[in-house]
Amino acid sequence: MSDFENVTAPPPPPVTDGPVPSDQRTMALAAHLLGIFTWFIGALIIWLINKDDPTKAFVTDQAKEALNFQITITIAMVICFILMIVIIGGLLAPIVGILSLVFSIIAAVKANNGELYRYPFALRLIK
């Protein structure tokens, strides 16, 4: 039995009814881009503001996705800083930073187009 048989795919995005309004696309864009500058704090604030409003399901979903990804990146960076004792962390930290930047920009572009985006790797801690 392989170790990869227990790996699950990311959950499917929720179904939206028709086009996403411009203000929701902008908030979702901000949730993804704020991760570059504020790590998980920006996405957390956007998610907390919009999570109780059922009319803003797109913003809530994308802010939650950005929050989960930024928490994953934060954990990865902490591990990299711990591994700097044995030098490998110094090599991994820039790679994690570049991946965070690239995937956040891709997610922001998709959100601005009104498309639901799922990061290829993220711990789904916030459900």
Side-chain angles (χ1 to χ4, degrees):
M1 183 170 176
S2 156
D3 290 337
F4 296 107
E5 289 178 11
N6 295 332
V7 176
T8 59
V15 178
T16 58
D17 300 335
V20 179
S22 176
D23 62 330
Q24 289 189 33
R25 288 185 287 146
T26 303
M27 288 297 287
L29 168 95
H32 290 291
L33 285 183
L34 281 172
I36 297 170
F37 304 106
T38 65
W39 283 9
F40 63 89
I41 302 298
L44 175 65
I45 291 170
I46 291 174
W47 178 67
L48 288 174
I49 290 171
N50 295 299
K51 72 177 181 154
D52 296 327
D53 189 355
T55 62
K56 295 187 177 180
F58 182 75
V59 176
T60 302
D61 176 67
Q62 290 302 291
K64 185 170 42 174
E65 186 68 16
L67 177 59
N68 282 327
F69 180 69
Q70 291 306 323
I71 290 171
T72 303
I73 292 296
T74 302
I75 293 169
M77 284 301 226
V78 167
I79 292 170
C80 286
F81 286 127
I82 292 170
L83 289 176
M84 282 188 184
I85 295 170
V86 290
I87 301 175
I88 190 76
L91 301 172
L92 292 177
I95 294 170
V96 171
I98 290 170
L99 286 174
S100 173
L101 178 69
V102 168
F103 283 124
S104 294
I105 291 172
I106 291 171
V109 169
K110 296 280 189 179
N112 194 38
N113 291 336
E115 300 173 36
L116 293 166
Y117 183 75
R118 292 286 177 254
Y119 288 96
F121 61 92
L123 300 174
R124 309 276 186 244
L125 301 173
I126 309 296
K127 305 224 185 238

